[in-house]
Amino acid sequence: MSLLSYRLPIRLLVLCVGFIFAKDLHVFGTFDFNGNGKSEIFKLNGLAAPLELVELSEDGSHLSLWQYAPKNEESIVDVKFADLNSDGIQELIVAQRGNKNNNWLSIFEWNGQSFVKNKELLVNVGQTADLIRPSNLASFANIFSASISTPSRSSTVFSLELKEGAPVKSTSQLNTSPLISNGYGPVYVGMFKMGEDGYAALISPEGNILKASIFSLSNINQDIISEILPLNGARVILGPDIQPFDQNNDGNQELLIPFATDEIYALALTDSGITFTESKLSQSGLFGMKSAAGEDEINSAILNRIESGLYDPPLGINRSTVDDSLIILVSDTLMLGDSLNMFILPDSVGELYSFKWSAPPPSGMKLNPNSFKVEWVPKREHIGVVDLSYFLEIRLKEELISGENEFGDTHQIYPILQNKDSSFVVLVGDTIKPPKPFVLIPPRFHRVEISTKDIKETDRFTFDGETPFSATTINSSGIITVGVSANLSWIKQDKTGAFNFISSSEKPDSLVTLSIIHDLSNNIFYASLLPTLDSLSQSFDLEGWDLNRYKFPEYFFEGFPLNMALDSITENNVVSLLSSDETTSGLLSISSPLYDQQHRMTISYFGGKPHAIRGDISVKENGSHKTLTEIDFESSFSPTNINIWLNPVSRDTLVFHADSIPDTLKTKASFRSFYSPVKVINKILPTIVPDSTTIENPEAKEPLVSQPLDSLEIKPETLQEIPDSTTIESPLVLPDSIK
């Protein structure tokens, strides 16, 4: 049976135990179980099998060594690795959930060629029952903890070992706290080390807060501290990727908590309580890959984890071997005439203490000690691949060491240093520097609109925003449409933009807030209502329902009606998530740009008058965007119908050169931006602007469309638009050579 002919059943998950990410790929590594000097990784929820061990070849390609698929419709929740029999080889511990709740834990042993499941039953000391459905699994040495969202909202802690080939599991101890037990969000567990002590953290996200309780492994029945922590827009915890990490190199571990929206938070225990800060690893694309992720994407993530210090090279394997087996790390590409100015200091609070070359650099390459940049201008003899490597010592802080000698006390300040070996590859091209191109980036519009009769003509909304946001109010026969739009192409990388469009009337006594987050890089759509209509969380994966709908986001809803379902597709390709014949008083429309599609969602509702529309758009370093929208309704808001669809658009980034591009550069110019392919126009006439680029007034482009006068029905056919790539949103300025 081909992949395209295979259809999965509807996957509507209504959960009080947390989201199950059947389409999220989790990668663990690196290993070298077969001892052949090549890196190996485990893939959880890949396309080939639920759990797979793959070997990374020298060219970066993947070779499958072993696969495992559970029976009886069970699913794998998490995996951990530990040496349970002290033979120097790690065992694979697999946590599953399904119908046989008492058989949720399995042990696999490496036999030299593959993993073999231990067929002995897990024996519990005291014969205690483990009727649980775990959300994730954590480990500390040979101590394990599994989170339990239902029914107890707790975690179970136990030790595990292999004695004469038979697994032995200690009596399970349950731990929870009043803060965790009284809630509705999913429950996860993590374990970390501080000093000589081990700790377990029980966490549960609810809306924009995280409930956290920390327990000592020496006294698991009593929590040390419990706190409520702000999430600041981070949504959907990636349970299998929760892990300990000493990011400060102070000997004490923090607990890294990755989110599907690409934030990574570090939870730590200090003398003053719990700290919860965004890690320096955040927004780096280290986690949250889809099951269909390719080899290059996986290799890049693994290499980034190694470079970040999350992963160590496998035992007995040289660091350079690991790097070579993953991917060639190209730091920069230069043409003859270009200059290299590469900053060498890592993102840390420290400062440079020492620098030295680990291998002879190319002629003319030097470190500028004032700017901390490697400076170099390549010559013709450098054409091709240029390797450079160096050793850094970063001074993190200083320590006063006191002692005594024959004359009395002594005191000396010693630096606390962090060592870092760095290797880079620079490609030098055989051509002169071409003329500076003119790049035309297509517009990518994000829009929020509300159409309702509840807004009076006398109501005045005040807009407080910045470029690139703009607000619009339209009155059409008593139906008022208020909206805010923004061209995401105008927001620079690593920047944010915010707006507030609020009614001039006084703030109502009672408000219902609808929050919508759309992470455009991971294509995750998250919506929540406060106060909630229902405490259960729901998720929808259209690709699991229909493989042809893989371009749609993964949808997550909190506080929405429980009768939501994937129940129909109209002839106009509109997908329904909620359908009813109840009376409506307004229509909310959200539109966001994907790679080559425009995503649209309409929510018909019955409720109070819209009071305010707030929003924030952040742009990551790689150019991807995340939008946050909050809408306040007076007194009430009840969704009655929710429909979604995609409109195809063409977003070609056009690169104009005054002269033809040299042959040696043509292949290097065929790059791709985050959102769109690039078309290179080799030559352009001095007096003629191509027909594909039409100069328009930005205010006239894609106006906000009000709803029909007599109803608020959705008519997708009226929402078709001219492709965004055919519009220039700002005055065209051509290069000097062709003016």
Side-chain angles (χ1 to χ4, degrees), residues 171-215:
T171 301
S172 298
Q173 293 182 306
L174 293 178
N175 66 301
T176 188
S177 67
L179 180 65
I180 301 296
S181 61
N182 296 301
Y184 62 86
V187 177
Y188 301 95
V189 66
M191 305 176 80
F192 61 99
K193 180 181 179 182
M194 283 189 60
E196 299 300 323
D197 298 326
Y199 296 87
L202 200 60
I203 58 175
S204 178
E206 295 181 4
N208 200 35
I209 64 168
L210 181 74
K211 297 180 177 180
S213 296
I214 296 181
F215 304 79

mmCIF file of all heavy atoms in Angstrom, residues 171-215:
data_model
loop_
_atom_site.group_PDB
_atom_site.id
_atom_site.type_symbol
_atom_site.label_atom_id
_atom_site.label_comp_id
_atom_site.label_asym_id
_atom_site.label_seq_id
_atom_site.Cartn_x
_atom_site.Cartn_y
_atom_site.Cartn_z
ATOM 1 N N THR A 171 9.199 -0.598 44.711
ATOM 2 C CA THR A 171 7.873 -0.088 45.025
ATOM 3 C C THR A 171 7.745 1.351 44.536
ATOM 4 O O THR A 171 8.613 2.188 44.805
ATOM 5 C CB THR A 171 7.612 -0.146 46.530
ATOM 6 O OG1 THR A 171 7.734 -1.490 46.984
ATOM 7 C CG2 THR A 171 6.224 0.363 46.862
ATOM 8 N N SER A 172 6.682 1.620 43.823
ATOM 9 C CA SER A 172 6.456 2.960 43.288
ATOM 10 C C SER A 172 5.944 3.884 44.382
ATOM 11 O O SER A 172 5.084 3.502 45.182
ATOM 12 C CB SER A 172 5.460 2.919 42.137
ATOM 13 O OG SER A 172 5.962 2.147 41.069
ATOM 14 N N GLN A 173 6.477 5.100 44.405
ATOM 15 C CA GLN A 173 6.038 6.125 45.323
ATOM 16 C C GLN A 173 5.381 7.246 44.534
ATOM 17 O O GLN A 173 5.968 7.770 43.577
ATOM 18 C CB GLN A 173 7.204 6.675 46.153
ATOM 19 C CG GLN A 173 7.807 5.681 47.111
ATOM 20 C CD GLN A 173 8.924 6.306 47.926
ATOM 21 O OE1 GLN A 173 9.846 6.849 47.427
ATOM 22 N NE2 GLN A 173 8.856 6.207 49.171
ATOM 23 N N LEU A 174 4.168 7.602 44.915
ATOM 24 C CA LEU A 174 3.460 8.681 44.253
ATOM 25 C C LEU A 174 3.769 10.004 44.931
ATOM 26 O O LEU A 174 3.878 10.072 46.166
ATOM 27 C CB LEU A 174 1.952 8.434 44.259
ATOM 28 C CG LEU A 174 1.434 7.257 43.427
ATOM 29 C CD1 LEU A 174 -0.073 7.127 43.575
ATOM 30 C CD2 LEU A 174 1.796 7.433 41.961
ATOM 31 N N ASN A 175 3.939 11.052 44.150
ATOM 32 C CA ASN A 175 4.128 12.383 44.711
ATOM 33 C C ASN A 175 3.297 13.384 43.936
ATOM 34 O O ASN A 175 3.208 13.333 42.709
ATOM 35 C CB ASN A 175 5.608 12.791 44.718
ATOM 36 C CG ASN A 175 6.159 12.961 43.311
ATOM 37 O OD1 ASN A 175 6.131 12.031 42.529
ATOM 38 N ND2 ASN A 175 6.684 14.130 43.015
ATOM 39 N N THR A 176 2.691 14.300 44.657
ATOM 40 C CA THR A 176 1.927 15.391 44.073
ATOM 41 C C THR A 176 1.866 16.498 45.109
ATOM 42 O O THR A 176 2.452 16.403 46.186
ATOM 43 C CB THR A 176 0.517 14.949 43.643
ATOM 44 O OG1 THR A 176 -0.121 16.020 42.912
ATOM 45 C CG2 THR A 176 -0.330 14.596 44.844
ATOM 46 N N SER A 177 1.169 17.570 44.767
ATOM 47 C CA SER A 177 1.014 18.703 45.663
ATOM 48 C C SER A 177 -0.367 19.293 45.445
ATOM 49 O O SER A 177 -0.979 19.089 44.385
ATOM 50 C CB SER A 177 2.094 19.760 45.408
ATOM 51 O OG SER A 177 1.916 20.363 44.138
ATOM 52 N N PRO A 178 -0.889 20.045 46.397
ATOM 53 C CA PRO A 178 -2.204 20.669 46.196
ATOM 54 C C PRO A 178 -2.258 21.561 44.964
ATOM 55 O O PRO A 178 -3.287 21.637 44.302
ATOM 56 C CB PRO A 178 -2.414 21.464 47.491
ATOM 57 C CG PRO A 178 -1.570 20.762 48.512
ATOM 58 C CD PRO A 178 -0.380 20.253 47.768
ATOM 59 N N LEU A 179 -1.144 22.234 44.645
ATOM 60 C CA LEU A 179 -1.126 23.112 43.481
ATOM 61 C C LEU A 179 -1.336 22.314 42.196
ATOM 62 O O LEU A 179 -2.059 22.754 41.290
ATOM 63 C CB LEU A 179 0.196 23.884 43.417
ATOM 64 C CG LEU A 179 0.354 24.858 42.236
ATOM 65 C CD1 LEU A 179 -0.664 25.987 42.340
ATOM 66 C CD2 LEU A 179 1.776 25.425 42.192
ATOM 67 N N ILE A 180 -0.702 21.150 42.080
ATOM 68 C CA ILE A 180 -0.810 20.332 40.876
ATOM 69 C C ILE A 180 -2.123 19.559 40.849
ATOM 70 O O ILE A 180 -2.786 19.454 39.807
ATOM 71 C CB ILE A 180 0.378 19.365 40.767
ATOM 72 C CG1 ILE A 180 1.692 20.138 40.733
ATOM 73 C CG2 ILE A 180 0.252 18.500 39.522
ATOM 74 C CD1 ILE A 180 1.875 21.029 39.538
ATOM 75 N N SER A 181 -2.511 18.986 41.977
ATOM 76 C CA SER A 181 -3.701 18.136 42.000
ATOM 77 C C SER A 181 -4.980 18.908 41.712
ATOM 78 O O SER A 181 -5.952 18.330 41.229
ATOM 79 C CB SER A 181 -3.809 17.429 43.349
ATOM 80 O OG SER A 181 -3.927 18.363 44.415
ATOM 81 N N ASN A 182 -4.987 20.200 41.988
ATOM 82 C CA ASN A 182 -6.145 21.034 41.691
ATOM 83 C C ASN A 182 -5.896 21.793 40.390
ATOM 84 O O ASN A 182 -5.392 22.911 40.378
ATOM 85 C CB ASN A 182 -6.421 22.016 42.833
ATOM 86 C CG ASN A 182 -6.808 21.318 44.126
ATOM 87 O OD1 ASN A 182 -7.781 20.584 44.167
ATOM 88 N ND2 ASN A 182 -6.024 21.507 45.174
ATOM 89 N N GLY A 183 -6.226 21.181 39.298
ATOM 90 C CA GLY A 183 -6.012 21.793 37.995
ATOM 91 C C GLY A 183 -6.537 20.911 36.900
ATOM 92 O O GLY A 183 -7.080 19.834 37.123
ATOM 93 N N TYR A 184 -6.358 21.365 35.652
ATOM 94 C CA TYR A 184 -6.879 20.631 34.506
ATOM 95 C C TYR A 184 -5.850 20.416 33.399
ATOM 96 O O TYR A 184 -6.092 19.661 32.464
ATOM 97 C CB TYR A 184 -8.088 21.365 33.909
ATOM 98 C CG TYR A 184 -7.785 22.750 33.379
ATOM 99 C CD1 TYR A 184 -7.322 22.940 32.081
ATOM 100 C CD2 TYR A 184 -7.964 23.864 34.176
ATOM 101 C CE1 TYR A 184 -7.033 24.209 31.597
ATOM 102 C CE2 TYR A 184 -7.682 25.137 33.703
ATOM 103 C CZ TYR A 184 -7.219 25.305 32.405
ATOM 104 O OH TYR A 184 -6.939 26.546 31.922
ATOM 105 N N GLY A 185 -4.702 21.088 33.480
ATOM 106 C CA GLY A 185 -3.718 20.985 32.409
ATOM 107 C C GLY A 185 -2.972 19.670 32.426
ATOM 108 O O GLY A 185 -3.012 18.909 33.402
ATOM 109 N N PRO A 186 -2.279 19.329 31.350
ATOM 110 C CA PRO A 186 -1.459 18.113 31.315
ATOM 111 C C PRO A 186 -0.351 18.182 32.356
ATOM 112 O O PRO A 186 0.092 19.266 32.742
ATOM 113 C CB PRO A 186 -0.901 18.093 29.899
ATOM 114 C CG PRO A 186 -0.941 19.513 29.453
ATOM 115 C CD PRO A 186 -2.152 20.117 30.110
ATOM 116 N N VAL A 187 0.114 17.032 32.825
ATOM 117 C CA VAL A 187 1.135 16.934 33.862
ATOM 118 C C VAL A 187 2.383 16.283 33.276
ATOM 119 O O VAL A 187 2.291 15.255 32.602
ATOM 120 C CB VAL A 187 0.624 16.133 35.073
ATOM 121 C CG1 VAL A 187 1.726 15.979 36.121
ATOM 122 C CG2 VAL A 187 -0.582 16.819 35.692
ATOM 123 N N TYR A 188 3.539 16.897 33.534
ATOM 124 C CA TYR A 188 4.821 16.370 33.089
ATOM 125 C C TYR A 188 5.787 16.336 34.268
ATOM 126 O O TYR A 188 5.598 17.032 35.274
ATOM 127 C CB TYR A 188 5.421 17.213 31.959
ATOM 128 C CG TYR A 188 4.552 17.315 30.733
ATOM 129 C CD1 TYR A 188 3.695 18.403 30.555
ATOM 130 C CD2 TYR A 188 4.593 16.346 29.751
ATOM 131 C CE1 TYR A 188 2.895 18.505 29.436
ATOM 132 C CE2 TYR A 188 3.791 16.436 28.624
ATOM 133 C CZ TYR A 188 2.944 17.514 28.480
ATOM 134 O OH TYR A 188 2.151 17.611 27.361
ATOM 135 N N VAL A 189 6.833 15.541 34.125
ATOM 136 C CA VAL A 189 7.821 15.410 35.188
ATOM 137 C C VAL A 189 9.217 15.543 34.581
ATOM 138 O O VAL A 189 9.452 15.179 33.426
ATOM 139 C CB VAL A 189 7.657 14.057 35.929
ATOM 140 C CG1 VAL A 189 7.987 12.891 35.009
ATOM 141 C CG2 VAL A 189 8.518 14.018 37.185
ATOM 142 N N GLY A 190 10.124 16.071 35.381
ATOM 143 C CA GLY A 190 11.529 16.155 35.000
ATOM 144 C C GLY A 190 12.388 15.952 36.227
ATOM 145 O O GLY A 190 11.955 16.190 37.363
ATOM 146 N N MET A 191 13.637 15.513 36.030
ATOM 147 C CA MET A 191 14.549 15.257 37.133
ATOM 148 C C MET A 191 15.877 15.929 36.842
ATOM 149 O O MET A 191 16.349 15.944 35.705
ATOM 150 C CB MET A 191 14.735 13.751 37.351
ATOM 151 C CG MET A 191 13.419 12.997 37.566
ATOM 152 S SD MET A 191 13.586 11.191 37.709
ATOM 153 C CE MET A 191 14.104 11.073 39.410
ATOM 154 N N PHE A 192 16.482 16.496 37.886
ATOM 155 C CA PHE A 192 17.748 17.201 37.733
ATOM 156 C C PHE A 192 18.553 17.099 39.013
ATOM 157 O O PHE A 192 18.048 16.682 40.061
ATOM 158 C CB PHE A 192 17.524 18.665 37.333
ATOM 159 C CG PHE A 192 16.734 19.469 38.342
ATOM 160 C CD1 PHE A 192 17.368 20.304 39.241
ATOM 161 C CD2 PHE A 192 15.352 19.412 38.375
ATOM 162 C CE1 PHE A 192 16.656 21.040 40.156
ATOM 163 C CE2 PHE A 192 14.622 20.157 39.291
ATOM 164 C CZ PHE A 192 15.276 20.972 40.182
ATOM 165 N N LYS A 193 19.827 17.513 38.957
ATOM 166 C CA LYS A 193 20.758 17.370 40.062
ATOM 167 C C LYS A 193 21.251 18.728 40.504
ATOM 168 O O LYS A 193 21.585 19.589 39.693
ATOM 169 C CB LYS A 193 21.938 16.485 39.653
ATOM 170 C CG LYS A 193 22.980 16.264 40.737
ATOM 171 C CD LYS A 193 24.124 15.403 40.225
ATOM 172 C CE LYS A 193 25.183 15.193 41.295
ATOM 173 N NZ LYS A 193 26.337 14.395 40.793
ATOM 174 N N MET A 194 21.294 18.929 41.804
ATOM 175 C CA MET A 194 21.894 20.111 42.415
ATOM 176 C C MET A 194 22.820 19.660 43.529
ATOM 177 O O MET A 194 22.372 19.036 44.495
ATOM 178 C CB MET A 194 20.846 21.064 42.968
ATOM 179 C CG MET A 194 20.141 21.905 41.975
ATOM 180 S SD MET A 194 19.126 23.165 42.794
ATOM 181 C CE MET A 194 20.391 24.079 43.706
ATOM 182 N N GLY A 195 24.110 19.968 43.381
ATOM 183 C CA GLY A 195 25.069 19.475 44.351
ATOM 184 C C GLY A 195 25.119 17.962 44.310
ATOM 185 O O GLY A 195 25.323 17.359 43.262
ATOM 186 N N GLU A 196 24.907 17.339 45.461
ATOM 187 C CA GLU A 196 24.897 15.885 45.538
ATOM 188 C C GLU A 196 23.476 15.328 45.595
ATOM 189 O O GLU A 196 23.292 14.112 45.699
ATOM 190 C CB GLU A 196 25.681 15.416 46.769
ATOM 191 C CG GLU A 196 27.147 15.825 46.766
ATOM 192 C CD GLU A 196 27.909 15.265 45.570
ATOM 193 O OE1 GLU A 196 27.609 14.115 45.178
ATOM 194 O OE2 GLU A 196 28.791 15.959 45.047
ATOM 195 N N ASP A 197 22.481 16.188 45.527
ATOM 196 C CA ASP A 197 21.100 15.766 45.669
ATOM 197 C C ASP A 197 20.389 15.748 44.321
ATOM 198 O O ASP A 197 20.707 16.532 43.412
ATOM 199 C CB ASP A 197 20.346 16.695 46.633
ATOM 200 C CG ASP A 197 20.936 16.668 48.043
ATOM 201 O OD1 ASP A 197 21.417 15.595 48.453
ATOM 202 O OD2 ASP A 197 20.920 17.719 48.717
ATOM 203 N N GLY A 198 19.409 14.849 44.214
ATOM 204 C CA GLY A 198 18.569 14.792 43.037
ATOM 205 C C GLY A 198 17.175 15.305 43.350
ATOM 206 O O GLY A 198 16.672 15.168 44.480
ATOM 207 N N TYR A 199 16.536 15.911 42.340
ATOM 208 C CA TYR A 199 15.225 16.517 42.526
ATOM 209 C C TYR A 199 14.301 16.133 41.365
ATOM 210 O O TYR A 199 14.765 15.882 40.238
ATOM 211 C CB TYR A 199 15.326 18.043 42.630
ATOM 212 C CG TYR A 199 16.108 18.523 43.834
ATOM 213 C CD1 TYR A 199 17.495 18.673 43.764
ATOM 214 C CD2 TYR A 199 15.475 18.796 45.033
ATOM 215 C CE1 TYR A 199 18.218 19.093 44.854
ATOM 216 C CE2 TYR A 199 16.202 19.228 46.135
ATOM 217 C CZ TYR A 199 17.563 19.371 46.047
ATOM 218 O OH TYR A 199 18.282 19.797 47.135
ATOM 219 N N ALA A 200 13.021 16.078 41.680
ATOM 220 C CA ALA A 200 11.990 15.849 40.675
ATOM 221 C C ALA A 200 11.070 17.061 40.646
ATOM 222 O O ALA A 200 10.669 17.575 41.691
ATOM 223 C CB ALA A 200 11.190 14.578 40.979
ATOM 224 N N ALA A 201 10.756 17.523 39.437
ATOM 225 C CA ALA A 201 9.863 18.658 39.253
ATOM 226 C C ALA A 201 8.596 18.176 38.564
ATOM 227 O O ALA A 201 8.657 17.538 37.507
ATOM 228 C CB ALA A 201 10.532 19.756 38.437
ATOM 229 N N LEU A 202 7.464 18.472 39.160
ATOM 230 C CA LEU A 202 6.157 18.151 38.596
ATOM 231 C C LEU A 202 5.564 19.449 38.070
ATOM 232 O O LEU A 202 5.399 20.415 38.825
ATOM 233 C CB LEU A 202 5.266 17.520 39.664
ATOM 234 C CG LEU A 202 4.064 16.695 39.197
ATOM 235 C CD1 LEU A 202 4.512 15.528 38.337
ATOM 236 C CD2 LEU A 202 3.270 16.184 40.397
ATOM 237 N N ILE A 203 5.258 19.510 36.760
ATOM 238 C CA ILE A 203 4.805 20.752 36.144
ATOM 239 C C ILE A 203 3.510 20.515 35.382
ATOM 240 O O ILE A 203 3.246 19.411 34.891
ATOM 241 C CB ILE A 203 5.871 21.333 35.198
ATOM 242 C CG1 ILE A 203 6.226 20.325 34.093
ATOM 243 C CG2 ILE A 203 7.117 21.742 35.965
ATOM 244 C CD1 ILE A 203 7.193 20.872 33.053
ATOM 245 N N SER A 204 2.698 21.571 35.275
ATOM 246 C CA SER A 204 1.427 21.489 34.570
ATOM 247 C C SER A 204 1.093 22.855 33.978
ATOM 248 O O SER A 204 0.886 23.815 34.722
ATOM 249 C CB SER A 204 0.306 21.030 35.503
ATOM 250 O OG SER A 204 -0.947 20.996 34.830
ATOM 251 N N PRO A 205 1.064 22.996 32.630
ATOM 252 C CA PRO A 205 0.690 24.270 32.014
ATOM 253 C C PRO A 205 -0.825 24.426 31.966
ATOM 254 O O PRO A 205 -1.557 23.491 31.647
ATOM 255 C CB PRO A 205 1.282 24.156 30.606
ATOM 256 C CG PRO A 205 1.252 22.683 30.311
ATOM 257 C CD PRO A 205 1.456 21.981 31.634
ATOM 258 N N GLU A 206 -1.295 25.618 32.264
ATOM 259 C CA GLU A 206 -2.703 25.964 32.162
ATOM 260 C C GLU A 206 -2.813 27.381 31.630
ATOM 261 O O GLU A 206 -2.522 28.336 32.354
ATOM 262 C CB GLU A 206 -3.404 25.830 33.520
ATOM 263 C CG GLU A 206 -3.456 24.411 34.052
ATOM 264 C CD GLU A 206 -4.167 24.287 35.384
ATOM 265 O OE1 GLU A 206 -4.691 25.312 35.862
ATOM 266 O OE2 GLU A 206 -4.203 23.182 35.952
ATOM 267 N N GLY A 207 -3.219 27.515 30.361
ATOM 268 C CA GLY A 207 -3.276 28.834 29.753
ATOM 269 C C GLY A 207 -1.895 29.437 29.646
ATOM 270 O O GLY A 207 -0.972 28.847 29.093
ATOM 271 N N ASN A 208 -1.737 30.634 30.234
ATOM 272 C CA ASN A 208 -0.467 31.345 30.154
ATOM 273 C C ASN A 208 0.342 31.235 31.441
ATOM 274 O O ASN A 208 1.212 32.062 31.703
ATOM 275 C CB ASN A 208 -0.700 32.831 29.825
ATOM 276 C CG ASN A 208 0.531 33.503 29.250
ATOM 277 O OD1 ASN A 208 1.316 32.912 28.526
ATOM 278 N ND2 ASN A 208 0.719 34.769 29.593
ATOM 279 N N ILE A 209 0.074 30.200 32.252
ATOM 280 C CA ILE A 209 0.845 29.976 33.475
ATOM 281 C C ILE A 209 1.337 28.538 33.528
ATOM 282 O O ILE A 209 0.810 27.657 32.842
ATOM 283 C CB ILE A 209 0.024 30.275 34.742
ATOM 284 C CG1 ILE A 209 -1.155 29.304 34.849
ATOM 285 C CG2 ILE A 209 -0.419 31.729 34.784
ATOM 286 C CD1 ILE A 209 -1.846 29.342 36.193
ATOM 287 N N LEU A 210 2.368 28.321 34.324
ATOM 288 C CA LEU A 210 2.903 26.990 34.570
ATOM 289 C C LEU A 210 2.903 26.741 36.073
ATOM 290 O O LEU A 210 3.533 27.479 36.835
ATOM 291 C CB LEU A 210 4.326 26.847 34.012
ATOM 292 C CG LEU A 210 4.972 25.466 34.196
ATOM 293 C CD1 LEU A 210 4.355 24.464 33.236
ATOM 294 C CD2 LEU A 210 6.478 25.536 33.995
ATOM 295 N N LYS A 211 2.192 25.700 36.502
ATOM 296 C CA LYS A 211 2.241 25.276 37.885
ATOM 297 C C LYS A 211 3.426 24.337 38.069
ATOM 298 O O LYS A 211 3.603 23.404 37.292
ATOM 299 C CB LYS A 211 0.940 24.583 38.286
ATOM 300 C CG LYS A 211 -0.294 25.475 38.220
ATOM 301 C CD LYS A 211 -1.542 24.700 38.625
ATOM 302 C CE LYS A 211 -2.768 25.595 38.633
ATOM 303 N NZ LYS A 211 -3.998 24.839 39.020
ATOM 304 N N ALA A 212 4.225 24.576 39.091
ATOM 305 C CA ALA A 212 5.436 23.782 39.295
ATOM 306 C C ALA A 212 5.599 23.438 40.772
ATOM 307 O O ALA A 212 5.450 24.313 41.636
ATOM 308 C CB ALA A 212 6.676 24.530 38.791
ATOM 309 N N SER A 213 5.918 22.176 41.052
ATOM 310 C CA SER A 213 6.244 21.703 42.393
ATOM 311 C C SER A 213 7.525 20.891 42.311
ATOM 312 O O SER A 213 7.686 20.067 41.414
ATOM 313 C CB SER A 213 5.112 20.855 42.978
ATOM 314 O OG SER A 213 3.929 21.609 43.148
ATOM 315 N N ILE A 214 8.430 21.111 43.264
ATOM 316 C CA ILE A 214 9.729 20.435 43.275
ATOM 317 C C ILE A 214 9.817 19.556 44.519
ATOM 318 O O ILE A 214 9.461 19.985 45.624
ATOM 319 C CB ILE A 214 10.880 21.446 43.226
ATOM 320 C CG1 ILE A 214 10.846 22.214 41.888
ATOM 321 C CG2 ILE A 214 12.227 20.751 43.373
ATOM 322 C CD1 ILE A 214 11.943 23.227 41.729
ATOM 323 N N PHE A 215 10.314 18.326 44.316
ATOM 324 C CA PHE A 215 10.449 17.345 45.372
ATOM 325 C C PHE A 215 11.908 16.886 45.446
ATOM 326 O O PHE A 215 12.599 16.793 44.431
ATOM 327 C CB PHE A 215 9.559 16.123 45.132
ATOM 328 C CG PHE A 215 8.103 16.443 44.945
ATOM 329 C CD1 PHE A 215 7.632 16.924 43.728
ATOM 330 C CD2 PHE A 215 7.205 16.264 45.975
ATOM 331 C CE1 PHE A 215 6.287 17.221 43.551
ATOM 332 C CE2 PHE A 215 5.861 16.551 45.807
ATOM 333 C CZ PHE A 215 5.405 17.033 44.596
#
